[in-house]
Structures are given as C-alpha cells and as structure tokens.
Amino acid sequence: MDQPLPIPLDNLIVCTHCDAAFTLERPEVGQRAVCARCGTVLITPRRKAGLQIIAVSVAITILIIAATVFPFLSISAAGATNSVSILDAALAFSDGPLVALALTTAALIIFVPLARVLLTIYVLVPIVLDRPPARRSTQAFRLAEALRPWSMAEIFVLGCAVALIKISDLADVAFGPAFWMFSGLVVLVVVQDNFLCRWSVWKSLDKTQTS
Amino acid sequence: MVGMEVAGQNSNIVSARDLGVVACTRCTQVWPAGTQICSRCGSTIVARDRLSLQRVWALWLVGLMCYVPANMYPMLQTRTLLSVQEDTIVGGAVELIHHGAVGIALIILIASVVIPIGKFMAIAFLAISVKRPSSVSNHHRQVLYEVVEYIGRWSMIDIFVVAIMSSLVQLNTLAAVNPGRASLFFALSVIFTMLSAQAFDSRMIWDVRARQEEMTTDE
C-alpha cells in the first residue's frame, strides 16, 4: 500500500468486470476502447452525445407520461368492450397479496424508466452547458446506473405481443394510441442507453467538481 | 477499436489488485488499495467482495424456492360462460400448442422454463467455478456471466403477459382472466435470481487463473 505506484492513478483505467488494469489511452471520437482481457467496452466517446441524450431523454419523458394516460389496448367480443391503459395493466394484480406484485409491475414498466431519464437529464444538462454539476449529481447518476437492470419497458412490449396473440382467438383486439407511443419509447430507451458513455460522464462530473 | 495499453512493464495483463490499486465498480475511478469509499461517486469499494459468494448462494436458494410454487400453482385463471380453467405455466403453454400457436408457446416456455432453469444452473456453476479449478476458460465464463445478467430480466415477460391479459380480458359474464397465485412466486423468483447474479463479483473469475499460475510457479 505504501510502495510508490509506477503510474499516477489518473492515468490508469481498470476494467470493472475482470479487474485488468491498463494505462489510459483516450480513444478518438467514434472509436471504442475495449478491455484487452475480457472485451468489455470501457470508453465510447461520441460527438455531441450529451445534447443528443438530453433530447432523447426529454422525448422519452413525454412518451412515458402520454403512454400511461392514453388507452393502450382495447378488446371487444360479442358487444362487450373493454379498453385499458398501461397503468391498468400494471395494476391488474390488485386483490389480496398480489397488490405487491401490482406495485412492482408498475415500477418496472413506468416508474423506473421514468426515474432513469429524469435523473439522466438532471445530471447531463449542467455538463452540456459547461456549468458546475447540479447538487448531488453523483448520487443521481449512481442511482440511474443502479436502476438500469430494473427498467423493463422493452420486455413489456414483447409481453404485449404475446398477450395479444393469446387473446386474439377469444376476442377482437385493437391497439390504442398508447401502444404505438410505447413501442417508439422502447426504441428511444435503447438508443439512449447505447449513446451514453458512462466513463465520460463520470469524468466530467469529477472534473467540474474538483476545479 | 482501440485496445488498451497494458499497465506495468511485463506483457501480461495485470490485475488492479496486483498493482496495488482498487477500482470503484460503479464509476471505475481508480484508488490506492485499501480505500473504503469512492470519493467520486460515494460507492463502497472492496477489492474483492468476500461475502459475495454467500450472498449469491442465499439469493439463489430463495429464488429456487420461489420457483417451485411458481410452477405448481395456477398462473392464470380463465373464466368463460361455461367453464373455469386454471393453467399453470407449463399447462398454459401445452394448451397453446394444442391451439396451434407453437411460436407463442415456445416464447413462454423459453422465457419461463428454459431461461430460469438455465440461470439457476449457470449461477451455481459460476459460483462453484471460482472456488475450484474449472475446465471452462475464463473468457467463456465471463461471457456466460454477462449472458445471465442480460437475459435474466426477460423472464419477467410471463408476468407482463398475465398482467396485460387479466386487465384487458374483463368482459363481465362473457369472459374474464384473473392472475393466479403463481404469478407472485414467479416474479419473486425472477427478482431474487437477478439479485443473485448481481451479487456475484465477476472479478473472481479471473482471480482463479492468477492463483493457479502462482501455485505452479511456486512449485
């Protein structure tokens, strides 16, 4: 611990998956730096990525709110009809012990994705504007990253497809406007996730905080 | 793609631990070994999570215990004018095959049977393999771990299908679909296996090789 290190810590990068240490070599914009041992992507800088991600995030926020409010799917059989919103679907498990499940589903398909984009906007806007980061930015970004595996909007969309085919021989099913919004939303979530270079965000949070 | 230049003088890839540094697993900032808390993002830092395997096994066991009732209780209760039908996960898929929807039945079977069972086996294998030498290469085990982490979430699809169907098919006396008790257990099983996979410290996969090399050079 006390022995002097051969390389200053700021010039080191460590792969969090396999713990391999490398001297830092910043890739050009558009290139990627990958771990030579396990192949994990370490850095992927992009030109104007911050602005693009903010734009996509704002779009996602609007779509989530709209998709939750508008009718999502409607069904009709022999004169009886029923239409539901995404919130209705999430809260389907509403009797007895299944209430916990209702809250979990609602969180997984609506609130976690929403929280993630809002946190991302909160963190990125000051960085893009070259301002000092907003208060508790690091905590916000850490939370957004921790929530990543729990954001399941894209799984919900595939679930819709499966449910529709299951129902279709029982009754006629029609898509509401929210269905299309939600499908678009999923594409945007994937885009946002792939554009974001976590290393760069942490670096800029660090830089602006210490100076 | 740019490969990263290897730190240190020798051509072998050096682990951060051997270099006397430790990296924050959340924000990747490097600190001297022994640092407790990352001052960039505030995460707790451990060089190797010693309790990791215990947590993996505990969560794995809870997930497995939830998976049993998830398959025994009915997942879906379908009430039509004439009959009430209760289907378990596998029963529902078999029913779909009888109706001719083989593709959908396959999606359900893969998402709710093949993936969960495969996941239980994969996590158990990874947890055992860091304790004793394994014939599977580190690289393949790393890939296996990433696949497990990525694919585990997709098991939730059955829960969402049940949620959509039971909220949509509520046509009073004509037909109604209600979620069964299994849905709760199944969701818990998926959540616990996801937590179990997250608790696994994948850096341990690569430690074994280093330890083996140490042993062979010592002899």
Side-chain angles (χ1 to χ4, degrees), chain A residues 1 5-7 9-10 12-25 27 31-34 36-40 42-43 73-78 80-84 88-90 92-93 95 97-98 100-101 104-105 108-109 138-139 142 145-146 148-152 154-156 158-167 169-171 173 199 202-203 206 209, chain B residues 1-9 13-17 19-21 23-34 39-44 47-48 76 78 80 92 96 99 101 104 107-108 139 142 146 149 153-154 156-171 174-175 177 179-181 183-184 187 190-191 194-195 198 201-203 206-207 209:
Chain A
M1 220 168 107
L5 289 162
I7 305 154
L9 291 183
D10 276 346
L12 272 179
I13 184 166
V14 173
C15 172
T16 50
H17 287 203
C18 71
D19 211 33
F22 305 101
T23 49
L24 181 59
E25 198 182 293
Q31 286 185 309
R32 307 189 300 166
V34 295
R37 177 148 82 176
C38 72
T40 307
L42 300 173
I43 312 176
L73 295 166
S74 61
I75 179 176
S76 61
T81 58
N82 184 27
S83 70
V84 291
D88 292 332
F93 309 99
D95 46 316
L98 296 179
L101 192 54
T104 315
T105 5
L108 293 178
I109 55 187
T138 50
Q139 281 96 330
R142 192 151 64 101
E145 286 298 285
R148 189 138 70 113
W150 304 101
S151 158
M152 299 193 179
E154 71 271 31
I155 300 167
F156 184 73
L158 191 62
C160 283
V162 174
L164 287 185
I165 298 171
K166 275 181 118 173
I167 298 171
D169 58 341
L170 202 69
V173 186
W199 187 85
W202 281 119
K203 197 82 191 163
D206 195 29
Q209 234 161 29
Chain B
M1 284 199 292
V2 179
M4 277 279 158
E5 208 183 302
V6 178
Q9 283 76 34
I13 292 173
V14 186
S15 275
R17 188 170 61 167
L19 212 60
V21 293
C24 171
T25 45
R26 179 60 72 197
C27 74
T28 75
Q29 176 66 39
V30 183
W31 300 103
S39 23
R40 174 150 87 175
C41 74
S43 299
T44 320
R48 289 298 177 277
L76 211 59
T78 315
T80 53
L96 277 171
H99 282 294
I104 295 298
I107 293 184
I108 295 288
H139 200 87
Q142 179 74 37
E146 268 155 37
E149 253 208 323
R153 318 156 57 229
W154 285 91
M156 268 309 212
I157 192 171
D158 215 21
I159 296 294
F160 294 152
V161 170
V162 171
I164 295 161
M165 287 188 66
S166 41
S167 64
L168 195 57
V169 187
Q170 294 294 344
L171 302 169
L174 206 57
V177 170
R181 234 178 302 176
S183 50
L184 180 65
V190 175
I191 289 172
M194 278 176 72
L195 289 172
Q198 282 175 19
D201 189 344
S202 68
R203 295 174 296 184
W206 302 86
D207 283 348
R209 189 188 64 172

Side-chain angles (χ1 to χ4, degrees), chain A residues 77-161:
Chain A
T81 58
N82 184 27
S83 70
V84 291
S85 70
I86 291 178
L87 210 55
D88 292 332
L91 299 176
F93 309 99
S94 49
D95 46 316
L98 296 179
V99 171
L101 192 54
L103 296 178
T104 315
T105 5
L108 293 178
I109 55 187
I110 304 165
F111 299 115
V112 171
L114 189 62
R116 282 200 66 217
V117 286
L118 291 180
L119 288 170
T120 313
I121 294 175
Y122 180 76
V123 172
L124 285 185
V125 165
I127 294 181
V128 169
L129 296 177
D130 276 331
R131 299 255 174 83
R135 289 207 305 146
R136 306 175 81 81
S137 270
T138 50
Q139 281 96 330
F141 194 60
R142 192 151 64 101
L143 181 62
E145 286 298 285
L147 286 176
R148 189 138 70 113
W150 304 101
S151 158
M152 299 193 179
E154 71 271 31
I155 300 167
F156 184 73
V157 168
L158 191 62
C160 283

